[in-house]
Amino acid sequence: GAVVSQHPSWVICKSGTSVKIECRSLDFQATTMFWYRQFPKQSLMLMATSNEGSKATYEQGVEKDKFLINHASLTLSTLTVTSAHPEDSSFYICSARDWGGAEQFFGPGTRLTVL
Amino acid sequence: DQQVKQNSPSLSVQEGRISILNCDYTNSMFDYFLWYKKYPAEGPTFLISISSIKDKNEDGRFTVFLNKSAKHLSLHIVPSQPGDSAVYFCAATPRNYGQNFVFGPGTRLSVLP
């Protein structure tokens, strides 16, 4: 149980385009989902926290207009990287937590490469 | 200001021996601690956790020890296997589970055959 999927697993796009990444909890209802970013050989950096049905809370330094997060249902959250630039190239990972749970279950990650 | 520290970026251990990964934290509000394992190009997978009311939690080959007064925890893997080679992240969160996890920078473990 407690499976989280992400789609796509990798994406290559041109500079200036927008990319949408989906995060789904497959066998539980995720009241809270988190989006992380990981640069090579670095730790997971929390970008934002989203609770179902409400606006996401962004960490300091993360542009909310650039990284649009939607958590419209208890099993789906999306991260849209708008007007992507090469510096946005990274590994994006989502995680999900159900109501009352402490543990986060991570998706497999999405590798974004912006040319 | 790093609230969760893993001072060893890498560790090499011979197969069959014990691997000890260390983690220190500074925030006394942290009450629940977790270890995650991560292979390249994959998401982290949960390994083991410990609540502050305990000082030890064991699950098979994995044991986590917590020294709350020293704000220190460690993950022991015995015996180490080549498949354990991965990056291990320590994470901490306050008892209020609405709070986010704070991750350490990770330790890359290499288990040599």
Side-chain angles (χ1 to χ4, degrees):
Chain A
V3 178
V4 176
S5 70
Q6 272 184 250
H7 179 79
S9 55
W10 61 273
V11 57
I12 302 173
C13 69
K14 290 183 179 180
S15 186
T17 60
S18 293
V19 175
K20 180 185 281 189
I21 303 170
E22 292 186 349
C23 177
R24 293 181 185 273
S25 57
L26 299 185
D27 51 3
F28 68 100
Q29 293 186 325
T31 52
T32 306
M33 285 185 167
F34 306 86
W35 286 95
Y36 294 84
R37 184 174 179 177
Q38 185 186 28
F39 291 103
K41 298 183 179 180
Q42 293 189 27
S43 187
L44 302 167
M45 300 300 296
L46 180 66
M47 298 175 66
T49 303
S50 73
N51 291 298
E52 184 264 339
S54 60
K55 288 184 179 180
T57 302
Y58 289 81
E59 294 300 299
Q60 193 172 9
V62 178
E63 298 176 60
K64 60 180 181 181
D65 294 329
K66 181 167 185 61
F67 299 99
L68 301 178
I69 292 171
N70 183 279
H71 191 167
S73 78
L74 285 171
T75 58
L76 173 65
S77 176
T78 60
L79 166 68
T80 301
V81 183
T82 62
S83 186
H85 290 285
E87 58 265 29
D88 298 323
S89 299
S90 190
F91 193 58
Y92 292 87
I93 307 172
C94 74
S95 70
R97 185 177 67 201
D98 62 7
W99 175 254
E103 188 182 324
Q104 292 181 29
F105 301 97
F106 285 83
T110 297
R111 168 77 57 197
L112 170 64
T113 301
V114 184
L115 303 176
Chain B
D1 176 28
Q2 231 178 10
Q3 296 187 69
V4 178
K5 303 175 185 180
Q6 292 176 256
N7 292 323
S8 297
S10 63
L11 174 69
S12 292
V13 171
Q14 209 68 37
E15 181 179 4
R17 301 286 187 112
I18 184 172
S19 295
I20 300 177
L21 297 98
N22 293 304
C23 177
D24 297 284
Y25 61 97
T26 57
N27 190 336
S28 57
M29 296 299 292
F30 288 148
D31 230 352
Y32 189 69
F33 306 89
L34 310 92
W35 284 93
Y36 282 86
K37 175 181 178 180
K38 184 181 181 301
Y39 293 115
E42 292 185 14
T45 53
F46 170 74
L47 207 53
I48 193 168
S49 64
I50 189 166
S51 161
S52 62
I53 61 174
K54 291 186 172 183
D55 54 17
K56 176 183 175 181
N57 189 23
E58 193 171 353
D59 183 2
R61 296 186 297 115
F62 303 92
T63 303
V64 56
F65 295 92
L66 175 62
N67 183 334
K68 205 175 177 191
S69 61
K71 294 191 177 70
H72 176 83
L73 62 153
S74 61
L75 173 68
H76 291 211
I77 307 174
V78 181
S80 302
Q81 299 173 353
D84 296 330
S85 298
V87 177
Y88 289 79
F89 291 99
C90 170
T93 186
R95 184 177 295 277
N96 175 4
Y97 295 144
Q99 298 286 334
N100 307 318
F101 287 0
V102 178
F103 283 88
T107 296
R108 181 176 301 278
L109 173 66
S110 298
V111 180
L112 309 172

